[in-house]
Amino acid sequence: MTPNQQQGAATGAAERLVPFPAVRGGHAMPGPQAVEAWVQAAWLMLAEGRAYLEDLEGGSEQPQMQQAAKLRFLEQLLDIDQRLAGRAPVDDVHCLAMALEYGMHEVVDASGPDLIEVFALDEEFGGDTCRVDRIQVLWERLLEAFPGELPDRLVAEGQRDMLRTLRVWARLARTAGLDIGFLAPFMKAA
């Protein structure tokens, strides 16, 4: 297999999966519920998702840490998926099993086997390597398709953008008749 074929095989499902398919298909929740779900999803992606991606990128010398981070990242995406579907998120201990059994349908249209492929769950856990290239491809596609701005708060100029984004979210919440305080537990956990 040539290097180009290997790269294509490595990113196949990550490039094939449709990000945020329900939004593209016109699925909508009632206004206040949608505002709360999307603001929570945005926060979890920019605060938690970016942190997991940094761990994956920076942990190349620690494959066991990368393996734990990619499992936790998959669980985080399922949490976001549940919120965007209007469902209560499942307990953390069930997230991986739910993702592999039922897949995802809001963040990305993916079956359990698709997620196994993208997150390279066929690797030996505790082994000397950890493949993350597919996850990075999927993440970039999710950021590109997200219906709104997700500033990178981990870089200097991202701090200013983050404050601006928080103001926009607060204004959006007020317009929907919500108190942006629903985001406080997420911010404290970050």
Side-chain angles (χ1 to χ4, degrees):
M1 193 178 275
T2 69
N4 285 342
Q5 290 171 322
Q6 289 173 340
Q7 179 65 21
T11 61
E15 291 177 344
R16 181 181 75 250
L17 299 174
V18 177
F20 305 106
V23 169
R24 294 170 183 254
H27 171 260
M29 291 184 265
Q33 183 183 3
V35 168
E36 187 171 348
W38 280 100
V39 169
Q40 288 174 354
W43 176 262
L44 290 171
M45 285 185 68
L46 71 87
E48 305 287 333
R50 287 192 194 275
Y52 288 126
L53 256 290
E54 279 214 348
D55 289 346
L56 292 175
E57 291 169 357
S60 60
E61 299 298 317
Q62 302 172 1
Q64 290 83 13
M65 185 277 301
Q66 281 182 307
Q67 290 168 346
K70 76 179 179 181
L71 289 175
R72 187 62 193 118
F73 182 50
L74 175 56
E75 293 170 340
Q76 185 69 53
L77 289 178
L78 180 76
D79 182 0
I80 295 167
D81 194 77
Q82 295 289 305
R83 291 172 194 281
L84 292 178
R87 293 187 286 274
V90 297
D91 291 336
D92 283 351
V93 296
H94 302 295
C95 284
L96 182 60
M98 290 281 296
L100 297 180
E101 181 68 24
Y102 300 109
M104 293 184 202
H105 306 287
E106 300 294 326
V107 170
V108 65
D109 189 18
S111 66
D114 290 331
L115 296 171
I116 288 169
E117 180 183 335
V118 171
F119 283 82
L121 298 181
D122 58 336
E123 288 182 317
E124 176 187 352
F125 196 73
D128 293 336
T129 61
C130 182
R131 294 188 323 260
V132 298
D133 54 331
R134 299 171 193 163
I135 300 168
Q136 292 165 329
V137 168
L138 178 62
W139 177 249
E140 290 303 319
R141 293 188 65 232
L142 291 173
L143 290 178
E144 186 178 303
F146 192 83
E149 184 179 350
L150 293 173
D152 188 348
R153 69 186 185 108
L154 302 176
V155 297
E157 62 273 5
Q159 295 296 312
R160 182 191 71 238
D161 294 339
M162 185 65 211
L163 291 173
R164 187 174 349 107
T165 299
L166 286 170
R167 278 189 236 117
V168 168
W169 292 350
R171 193 170 39 249
L172 182 61
R174 278 192 306 276
T175 302
L178 299 170
D179 178 351
I180 195 66
F182 68 81
L183 200 53
F186 296 91
M187 296 174 103
K188 286 179 184 174

